[in-house]
Amino acid sequence: IEIFRKVIEQAKTSFMSGPAGMFEKPGFENGTKAIMNAMVDSKGLSVLGGGHTSAAAERFDLADSMSYVSTGGGALETFLLREPLPVIDALEKSKKKFGNGQ
């Protein structure tokens, strides 16, 4: 936990996609909670992605202290990696085919 804390403390942005263990079970939440607290305490941007990750942040009352929380973990990762998002591709094709609907 201390190694993660030191790295997060110096990061300009920290991104967490998935909890660090089975946070729902008492005694197994320490890693996830500590990493999230380090993200909140850091001066950098703190981004959470995924349903389980956002649920953990809510459980630890940390969600409102994060810079950004998304329940779509995989989609957020895809977006950040600048890879194509299927729904956006479909919307762009629809616009080309049908116009903007006005």
Side-chain angles (χ1 to χ4, degrees), residues 13 18 20 23 30 38 48 68 83 94:
T13 302
F23 72 93
N30 295 345
L48 299 181
Y68 184 77
E83 294 179 2
S94 177

Side-chain angles (χ1 to χ4, degrees), residues 49-91:
H52 287 96
T53 313
S54 59
E58 288 290 339
R59 179 178 178 153
F60 304 137
D61 200 28
L62 295 171
D64 291 338
S65 299
M66 297 290 174
S67 303
Y68 184 77
V69 178
S70 170
T71 57
L76 180 61
E77 288 177 27
T78 300
F79 174 76
L80 291 173
L81 292 170
R82 298 181 183 211
E83 294 179 2
L85 291 162
V87 71
I88 301 299
D89 289 343
L91 289 170

Side-chain angles (χ1 to χ4, degrees), residues 10-52:
Q10 297 177 17
K12 292 182 181 177
T13 302
S14 54
F15 178 78
M16 185 176 191
S17 180
M22 194 175 9
F23 72 93
E24 305 91 343
K25 190 172 182 181
F28 290 86
E29 73 277 356
N30 295 345
T32 301
K33 190 173 184 179
I35 290 170
M36 288 184 176
N37 276 313
M39 292 171 73
V40 168
D41 293 343
S42 78
K43 293 179 183 163
L45 188 69
S46 54
V47 180
L48 299 181
H52 287 96

